[in-house]
């Protein structure tokens, strides 16, 4: 029997985005042993991906510097596989299985983009909005490419800015929300602090790309790859020839990790109390996974969770008022970018609903819930395990997939489920 | 309050693959049939298994039931809807050593004598048939007409086909209690049925206590797509001895190619464990065994693992026929790991006996009455 590397810590933070960094740094400042893990090669999460410690947004730099100088242990390229018991996580560390024993866990698993099916959405050349941003940041050459950005939410503007900086030609930003809702949102921003609000206000004015509210994608066309998109703008239809379509309909919390830990999920987010504690006594959660609200909410919740997990709840007390403001902002955000009903009817019966298993919408439409749809059509049983179509089904049909996450937490090499766990065999 | 009353010839409780097939056969025989499920067709243990159509020769009765069942599957294979994914990939019973190879030769002779196609592969032929298998194997028995299906779709299909034949579907309705001739639903309604067929797997025990049923838990793992890497249903010959024989926890090598290229990896058996959580050490043992036969599996991406509770009996044969408690309450359960295969002949036996027609195979070996006396001489 080979001996498997085992790490041990007081507080395990899973996910090194803003919430995770804030949680880990705060807990470490209280003198606890902290281990921060993330499956990406670099800390920062989706929003600070590729941010250099010497440049980039001020708050990002500040937190990344604090992370650097903190005495906590920080491991990238480390992916959760399954929970062996309530204090032992099995993880993949650079392709090697390892065990992590912890007292408390803080889940900061962030959010993923909501993709909705429409005719042509699986054509090469169509990506997620955040997906395109990540591709550009990791080196995809888009210079001179004609790009349409469509969907909903503040992310569209950020993607447009990234694409323009990379010398792409952004033809159009199509925001599905009603112009009035967005204007009210922008006018209301002064009441809320922080980066995200500023970004939306400034970028909307200075992005230099045509921006349309009340506009949404209805179709992507092309033979073997994207050639053009159809947009509906109010009551008019427009066809735009382009090379790339980046399309995202906002964010949804990543809940899989919390489900694996057995945490209660309420209203599509991890349920937490005022100290960010989940329904599991030794598990806390912070950031987008407790409800979409942007970076200010993530940072403040992360700090509170870090202090609470470290047993210094008193330090968190002064932060509660700020958190209430960020959570109020989250509500405003959700309202301003609420998805319109028309988006529920974009897909035709032939449109793929599940792109992993090539399941057309017609195969699931008449089903009463996700589990029946899965068993009847195999939708959600492929590589992504329903992460894409499950979120879409929730918006399209109101289905909530209640099945618990079963090991492995994400796809992993079979050998990772074999190697002996010392702890497990000692029991 | 006046409970809603209806009546029928036969009410089948449980729309797994067994109950749904029974409903189809009863409706086809002209019986006024009602098929009942607390949830929906194929959503219970039917959805947890591998979906193997296989002949098995543990006992004469098992041989009769599985060969008849497979005949019935083969007869309708071409008319099954595409989503059942019927794939006649055949089974390879792998012999790891000379002793097992002797068993392969015995099996081959017996199968051929009964006109069941079976072919002996030597070590080199096996390596050509399954290039990923480790080379050290002695050979295998290829059972050509064995097949693989996607069971939940089959259960749905049988239920739909029963409905076309006039059977009434009552899904999403929980049965509260049974009495001879009468079913009480949780919503207060009542259904009078001349005969009741209990096909609810382990849950049958909740409605008719003291059935000779026990849970036998199993684990399965499914991989991402690796088309062509595994070509047949692969089972170690030792499976018969290791997995079926003992009461202890056991694992055996059993791997199945799905039509989409995914690979299903089993199997484990644990008696009387009724929680459905993953037993990580046992799962690790099971996967280690699989890697021992198919080394490339070590590096495949695993998408998911899950468990299921097989409804098992003490003698490895299902309960098909009138219960010992009430002559009008029949059983069609206890199929353990062979429910997918034997759904067809189970349904045929149930319908023939309810209609007083001759059975294609002797019915007595599966009667629950065999457990009423001391089970000294159960089918061997």
């Amino acid at each position: 029997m080979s001996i498997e590397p085992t790490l041990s810590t007081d507080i395990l933070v899973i996910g090194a985005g803003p919430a995770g960094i804030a949680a880990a740094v705060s807990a470490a400042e209280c003198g606890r042993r902290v281990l921060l893990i993330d499956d990406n090669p670099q800390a920062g999460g989706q929003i600070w991906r590729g941010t250099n410690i010497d440049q980039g947004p001020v708050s990002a730099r500040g937190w990344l510097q604090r992370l650097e100088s903190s005495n906590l242990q920080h491991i990238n390229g480390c992916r959760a596989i399954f929970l062996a018991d309530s204090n032992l996580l099995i993880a993949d560390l650079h392709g090697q299985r390892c065990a992590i024993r912890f007292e408390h866990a803080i889940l900061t698993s962030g959010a993923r983009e909501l993709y909705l099916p429409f005719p042509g959405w699986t054509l090469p050349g169509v990506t997620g909005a955040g997906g395109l941003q990540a591709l550009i940041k990791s080196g995809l050459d888009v210079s001179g490419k004609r790009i349409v950005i469509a969907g909903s939410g503040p992310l569209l503007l950020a993607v447009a800015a990234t694409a323009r900086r990379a010398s792409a030609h952004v033809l159009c930003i199509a925001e599905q929300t009603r112009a009035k809702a967005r204007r009210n949102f922008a006018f209301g921003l002064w009441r809320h602090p922080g980066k995200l609000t500023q970004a939306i206000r400034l970028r909307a004015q200075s992005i230099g790309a045509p921006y349309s509210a009340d506009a949404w994608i209805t179709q992507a066309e092309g033979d073997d790859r994207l050639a053009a998109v159809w947009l509906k703008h109010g009551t008019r239809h427009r066809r735009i020839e382009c090379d790339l379509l980046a399309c995202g309909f906002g964010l949804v919390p990543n809940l899989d990790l919390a489900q694996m830990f057995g945490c209660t999920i309420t209203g599509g987010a991890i349920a937490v109390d005022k100290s960010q504690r989940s329904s599991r006594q030794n598990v806390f959660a912070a950031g987008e996974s407790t409800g979409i609200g942007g970076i200010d909410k993530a940072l403040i919740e992360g700090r509170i969770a870090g202090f609470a997990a470290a047993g210094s709840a008193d330090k968190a007390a002064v932060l509660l008022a700020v958190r209430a403001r960020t959570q109020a902002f989250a509500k405003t955000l959700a309202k301003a970018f609420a998805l319109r009903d028309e988006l529920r009817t974009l897909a035709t019966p032939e449109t793929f609903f599940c792109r992993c298993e090539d399941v057309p919408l017609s195969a699931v439409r008449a089903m009463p819930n996700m589990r029946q749809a899965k068993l009847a059509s195999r939708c959600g049983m492929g590589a992504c395990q329903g992460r894409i179509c499950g979120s879409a089904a929730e918006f399209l049909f109101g289905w909530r997939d209640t099945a618990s996450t079963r090991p492995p937490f994400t796809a992993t090499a079979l050998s990772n489920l074999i190697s002996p766990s010392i702890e497990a065999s000692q029991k | 309050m006046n409970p809603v009353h209806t009546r029928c010839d036969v009410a089948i409780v449980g729309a797994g693959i067994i109950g749904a097939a029974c409903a189809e056969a009863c409706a086809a025989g002209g019986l006024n049939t009602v098929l009942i499920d607390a949830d929906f067709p194929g959503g219970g243990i039917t959805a947890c298994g591998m979906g193997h159509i296989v002949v098995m020769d543990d006992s004469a009765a098992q041989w009769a039931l599985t060969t008849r069942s497979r005949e019935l599957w083969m007869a309708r294979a071409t008319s099954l809807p595409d989503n059942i994914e019927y794939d006649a990939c055949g089974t390879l019973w792998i012999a790891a050593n000379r002793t097992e190879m002797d068993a392969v030769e015995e099996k081959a002779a017996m199968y051929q004598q009964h006109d069941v196609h079976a072919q002996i592969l030597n070590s080199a032929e096996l390596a050509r048939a399954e290039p990923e298998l480790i080379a050290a194997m002695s050979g295998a028995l290829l059972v050509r007409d064995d097949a693989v299906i996607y069971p939940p779709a089959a259960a749905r299909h049988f239920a739909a086909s029963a409905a076309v034949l006039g059977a009434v579907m009552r899904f999403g309705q929980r049965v509260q209690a049974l009495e001879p001739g009468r079913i009480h639903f949780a919503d207060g309604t009542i259904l009078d049925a001349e005969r009741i067929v209990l096909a609810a797997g382990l849950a049958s025990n909740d409605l008719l206590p003291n059935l000779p049923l026990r849970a036998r838990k199993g684990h399965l793992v499914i991989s991402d797509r690796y088309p062509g890497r595994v070509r047949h249903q692969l089972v170690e010959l030792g499976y018969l001895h290791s997995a079926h024989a003992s009461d202890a926890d056991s694992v055996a090598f059993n791997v199945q190619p799905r039509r989409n290229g995914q690979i299903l990896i089993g199997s484990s058996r644990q008696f009387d464990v009724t929680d459905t959580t993953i037993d990580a050490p046992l799962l690790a043992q099971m996967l280690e065994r699989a890697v021992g036969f198919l080394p490339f599996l070590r590096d495949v991406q695993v998408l998911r693992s899950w468990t299921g509770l097989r409804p098992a009996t003490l003698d490895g044969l299902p309960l098909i026929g009138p219960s010992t408690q009430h002559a009008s309450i029949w059983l069609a359960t206890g199929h353990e790991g062979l429910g997918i295969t034997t759904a067809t002949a189970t349904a045929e036996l149930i319908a023939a006996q309810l209609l007083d027609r001759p059975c294609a195979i002797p019915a007595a070996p599966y009667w629950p009455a065999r457990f009423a006396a001391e089970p000294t001489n159960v089918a061997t």
Side-chain angles (χ1 to χ4, degrees):
Chain A
M1 246 188 185
S2 65
I3 290 175
E4 132 177 278
T6 303
L7 302 165
S8 181
T9 185
D10 294 338
I11 296 167
L12 170 65
V13 184
I14 308 178
I21 292 172
V25 167
S26 304
E29 280 170 3
C30 298
R32 303 299 297 269
R33 283 188 309 154
V34 178
L35 171 60
L36 171 64
I37 63 171
D38 194 289
D39 58 356
N40 286 294
Q42 223 192 321
Q46 301 299 329
I47 188 157
W48 290 341
R49 184 197 297 271
T51 299
N52 192 308
I53 205 154
D54 305 316
Q55 40 173 264
V58 178
S59 78
R61 272 156 50 196
W63 279 104
L64 289 169
Q65 266 155 13
R66 284 177 74 178
L67 174 63
E68 195 101 312
S69 56
S70 168
N71 64 351
L72 62 89
Q73 194 180 0
H74 169 210
I75 304 179
N76 290 315
C78 184
R79 183 186 293 255
I81 302 174
F82 68 95
L83 201 60
D85 65 47
S86 57
N87 295 93
L88 184 68
L89 180 76
I90 305 299
D92 177 307
L93 177 56
H94 306 305
Q96 282 284 310
R97 175 175 146 140
C98 73
I100 302 172
R101 189 157 278 294
F102 59 90
E103 207 178 299
H104 298 285
I106 304 178
L107 311 182
T108 47
S109 47
R112 58 172 165 257
E113 213 164 7
L114 173 64
Y115 302 119
L116 297 176
F118 54 86
W121 75 297
T122 55
L123 276 174
V126 182
T127 68
L132 181 67
Q133 190 175 36
L135 285 170
I136 294 172
K137 284 183 180 178
S138 54
L140 177 75
D141 180 13
V142 292
S143 67
K145 297 272 191 229
R146 300 163 302 162
I147 301 181
V148 171
I149 298 169
S152 195
L155 182 64
L156 301 185
L157 292 160
V159 178
T162 305
R164 280 175 59 85
R165 270 200 302 277
S167 309
H169 189 39
V170 178
L171 302 180
C172 173
I173 304 167
E175 165 59 62
Q176 59 85 41
T177 202
R178 287 174 173 76
K180 189 166 166 247
R182 203 189 61 83
R183 260 198 314 276
N184 289 346
F185 177 67
F187 286 138
L189 289 183
W190 61 270
R191 269 182 274 143
H192 300 285
K195 281 228 53 76
L196 177 68
T197 57
Q198 226 174 353
I200 295 165
R201 191 169 38 193
L202 296 178
R203 282 184 188 152
Q205 292 156 2
S206 65
I207 202 81
Y211 182 98
S212 312
D214 270 323
W216 64 95
I217 184 88
T218 58
Q219 195 180 334
E221 58 174 48
D223 293 328
D224 46 0
R225 68 166 290 117
L226 179 72
V229 299
W230 284 90
L231 296 179
K232 191 160 186 203
H233 192 171
T235 54
R236 288 173 298 125
H237 288 276
R238 258 171 86 194
R239 183 175 181 279
I240 305 175
E241 290 185 6
C242 60
D243 305 306
L244 292 170
L245 166 65
C247 200
F249 293 91
L251 301 174
V252 287
N254 277 325
L255 301 175
D256 333 55
L257 198 57
Q259 279 168 336
M260 186 172 80
F261 275 79
C263 303
T264 301
I265 308 294
T266 313
I270 306 174
V272 289
D273 68 8
K274 65 177 175 23
S275 64
Q276 302 295 135
R277 192 192 296 268
S278 77
S279 62
R280 301 293 299 239
Q281 186 61 20
N282 70 332
V283 182
F284 296 76
E288 302 287 55
S289 58
T290 68
I292 303 303
I295 192 161
D296 297 317
K297 172 177 169 295
L299 287 169
I300 200 83
E301 286 189 359
R303 290 169 69 193
I304 293 169
F307 289 138
S312 304
D314 50 316
K315 289 192 183 166
V318 296
L319 304 172
L320 299 183
V322 185
R323 181 179 61 186
R325 276 207 300 282
T326 63
Q327 288 172 344
F329 168 70
K331 288 206 180 83
T332 316
L333 186 74
K335 215 168 131 192
F337 293 101
L339 297 181
R340 58 172 66 228
D341 285 339
E342 288 93 330
L343 301 177
R344 291 191 173 90
T345 52
L346 297 178
T348 64
E350 306 79 40
T351 306
F352 284 140
F353 165 73
C354 166
R355 57 191 302 170
C356 298
E357 292 294 306
D358 294 355
V359 178
L361 184 72
S362 58
V364 299
R365 184 102 244 195
M367 296 293 159
N369 56 47
M370 189 65 182
R371 188 168 133 74
Q372 274 207 56
K374 264 186 180 176
L375 289 175
S377 72
R378 305 183 68 98
C379 70
M381 291 189 172
C384 93
Q385 286 290 293
R387 283 177 172 85
I388 294 174
C389 67
S391 300
E394 201 168 326
F395 173 70
L396 296 177
F397 315 123
W399 297 346
R400 191 149 282 172
D401 192 3
T402 49
S404 61
T405 306
R406 287 165 294 191
F409 162 66
T410 51
T412 191
L414 181 138
S415 55
N416 278 331
L417 298 176
I418 293 185
S419 313
S421 157
I422 309 160
E423 278 87 349
S425 59
Q426 273 171 353
K427 275 196 304 182
Chain B
M1 200 171 81
N2 240 340
V4 182
H5 247 81
T6 45
R7 50 191 317 117
C8 62
D9 296 334
V10 55
I12 294 157
V13 182
I17 195 164
I18 301 284
C22 288
E24 186 194 41
C26 289
L31 291 171
N32 181 352
T33 306
V34 177
L35 178 62
I36 300 158
D37 198 282
D39 212 341
F40 59 92
I45 190 66
T46 298
C48 298
M50 272 185 146
H52 197 187
I53 312 277
V54 57
V55 293
M56 295 277 286
D57 58 7
D58 276 1
S59 65
Q62 190 190 58
W63 172 263
L65 190 65
T66 54
T67 48
R68 177 61 186 159
S69 291
R70 201 186 68 176
E71 254 171 59
L72 293 170
W73 276 112
M74 288 167 73
R76 67 190 301 181
T78 53
S79 63
L80 293 173
D82 184 61
N83 71 343
I84 292 180
E85 302 182 13
Y86 188 97
D87 177 12
C89 61
T91 303
L92 276 172
W93 292 92
I94 314 285
N97 51 46
R98 195 53 243 172
T99 319
E100 289 186 355
M101 206 55 197
D102 291 344
V104 159
E105 277 155 22
E106 272 173 45
K107 271 173 177 290
M110 197 276 272
Y111 284 29
Q112 282 152 9
Q113 197 191 330
H114 287 89
D115 282 331
V116 168
H117 189 281
Q119 182 190 346
I120 299 173
L121 304 188
N122 64 28
S123 189
E125 289 163 340
L126 175 60
R128 272 198 298 279
E130 287 292 342
E132 297 285 359
L133 211 58
I134 49 161
M137 296 292 105
S138 297
L141 182 73
L142 169 62
V143 184
R144 186 193 60 191
D145 296 325
D146 281 356
V148 159
I149 63 163
Y150 177 58
R156 291 190 90 88
H157 173 65
F158 291 157
S161 151
V164 169
L165 293 163
V168 173
M169 304 292 122
R170 293 190 66 166
F171 300 145
Q173 293 188 42
R174 184 170 295 281
V175 173
Q176 185 91 40
L178 297 182
E179 59 179 293
R182 181 165 283 193
I183 287 172
H184 298 268
F185 289 95
D187 65 5
T189 58
I190 282 171
L191 172 66
D192 286 333
E194 208 166 299
R195 309 281 178 74
I196 294 167
V197 178
L198 196 45
L202 282 177
S204 303
N205 239 330
D206 303 338
L207 296 170
L208 198 63
N210 302 318
L211 294 175
L213 282 178
R214 60 200 294 214
R216 207 170 188 188
K217 181 175 171 177
H219 288 73
L220 279 178
V221 163
I222 196 153
S223 76
D224 204 349
R225 297 179 179 200
Y226 298 90
R229 303 291 286 276
V230 177
R231 301 167 182 179
H232 305 80
Q233 166 105 224
L234 302 179
V235 198
E236 63 172 300
L237 199 69
Y239 179 82
L240 296 175
H241 312 293
S242 71
H244 280 285
S246 131
D247 251 20
D249 292 0
S250 61
V251 297
F253 169 63
N254 182 6
V255 158
Q256 181 180 86
R258 305 297 318 180
R259 196 173 64 179
N260 65 5
Q262 289 181 318
I263 302 167
L264 257 177
I265 305 164
S267 65
S268 73
R269 283 168 195 266
Q270 291 168 285
F271 262 125
D272 301 322
V273 178
T274 50
D275 78 282
T276 54
T277 54
I278 299 287
D279 179 337
L282 190 71
L283 186 79
Q285 250 183 59
M286 178 182 104
L287 295 175
E288 207 148 17
R289 184 131 195 111
V291 167
F293 284 87
L294 285 173
F296 89 97
L297 288 181
R298 177 172 286 280
D299 300 315
V300 303
Q301 289 288 303
V302 165
L303 299 183
R304 190 160 36 98
S305 64
W306 68 95
T307 66
L309 302 177
R310 308 175 181 98
T313 63
L314 299 173
D315 61 3
L317 290 175
L319 305 168
I320 308 169
S323 67
T324 53
Q325 289 95 324
H326 306 288
S328 71
I329 301 182
W330 286 47
L331 299 175
T333 184
H335 295 74
E336 198 174 335
L338 285 172
I340 308 306
T341 297
T342 58
T344 46
T346 298
E348 188 184 52
L349 281 170
I350 289 281
Q353 293 176 85
L354 289 177
L355 289 158
D356 278 326
R357 290 179 185 166
C359 296
I361 56 171
Y366 320 104
W367 287 343
R370 70 186 187 276
F371 288 109
E374 261 311 292
T376 45
N377 212 0
V378 290
T380 47

